[in-house]
């Protein structure tokens, strides 16, 4: 299973429509400003301050730029670790779907290290088997179903991503 780059998750057309510039235009502006020597936050802050880009799109442009310039691999976070996530939409009220998800992940990973069982987006965080942590969230959708998302964070390298994603998908399949 290949790791998708940022350019495969947000289309060029969507980025252009939302920001008024195509990815190549943003990359040229960033190159001219010397952004290959900047940190992730400096790039995102510059896009916001100099070009009034919405914060969400600042992140998208920044990650795509970093990947295009070889500053970040697909799936790699700003701290150098990797993450992967998968989700499944299930039936039931939010509380019941979240309860099933917590039970499934508890059976595999033990007790959560932290959790919030109330609100519009309850979550539980579990220690990962070999590295990092697994964050499980649940959120009601407009169709009356519930989207359960599991993210394995702080993986040590890209080679761990496919196995982690498969393990998350396997647990979610039991919901």
């Amino acid at each position: 299973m290949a790791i998708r780059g940022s350019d495969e998750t947000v289309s060029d057309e969507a980025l252009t429509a939302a920001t008024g510039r195509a990815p190549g235009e943003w990359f040229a502006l960033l190159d001219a400003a010397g952004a290959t020597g900047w940190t992730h936050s400096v790039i995102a802050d510059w896009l916001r301050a100099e070009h009034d880009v919405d914060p969400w799109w600042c992140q998208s442009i920044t990650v795509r730029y970093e990947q295009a310039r070889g500053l970040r691999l697909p799936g790699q976070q700003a701290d150098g670790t990797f993450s992967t996530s998968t989700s499944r939409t299930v039936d039931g009220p939010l509380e019941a779907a979240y309860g099933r998800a917590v039970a499934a992940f508890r059976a595999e990973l033990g007790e959560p290290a932290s959790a919030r069982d109330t609100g519009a987006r309850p979550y539980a965080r579990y220690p990962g088997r070999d590295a990092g942590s697994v964050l499980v969230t649940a959120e009601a959708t407009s169709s009356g179903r519930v989207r359960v998302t599991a993210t394995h964070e702080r993986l040590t390298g890209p080679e761990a991503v496919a196995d982690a994603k498969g393990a998350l998908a396997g647990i979610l399949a039991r919901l």
Side-chain angles (χ1 to χ4, degrees), residues 21-76:
R21 288 190 171 94
E25 294 173 276
W26 285 117
F27 297 171
L29 284 169
L30 288 162
D31 285 341
T36 56
W38 298 351
T39 65
H40 177 90
S41 3
V42 170
I43 295 171
D45 290 347
W46 183 84
L47 289 166
R48 178 81 174 139
E50 296 296 321
H51 297 280
D52 198 31
V53 177
D54 175 84
W56 191 91
W57 288 103
C58 288
Q59 295 301 315
S60 182
I61 294 165
T62 300
V63 170
R64 284 184 73 164
Y65 178 75
E66 291 170 328
Q67 289 176 357
R69 296 302 182 258
L71 305 171
R72 178 192 296 226
L73 294 171
Q76 188 175 29

Side-chain angles (χ1 to χ4, degrees), residues 54-130:
D54 175 84
W56 191 91
W57 288 103
C58 288
Q59 295 301 315
S60 182
I61 294 165
T62 300
V63 170
R64 284 184 73 164
Y65 178 75
E66 291 170 328
Q67 289 176 357
R69 296 302 182 258
L71 305 171
R72 178 192 296 226
L73 294 171
Q76 188 175 29
Q77 304 303 299
D79 67 0
T81 64
F82 290 77
S83 71
T84 187
S85 66
T86 190
S87 64
R88 180 163 185 219
T89 304
V90 297
D91 292 325
L94 178 62
E95 298 79 16
Y98 173 72
R100 291 193 312 270
V102 166
F105 279 89
R106 181 182 290 127
E108 291 291 324
L109 301 173
E111 290 300 316
S114 63
R116 184 188 73 218
D117 298 336
T118 59
R121 195 168 186 225
Y123 72 87
R125 183 177 300 277
Y126 301 84
R129 284 190 184 125
D130 299 322

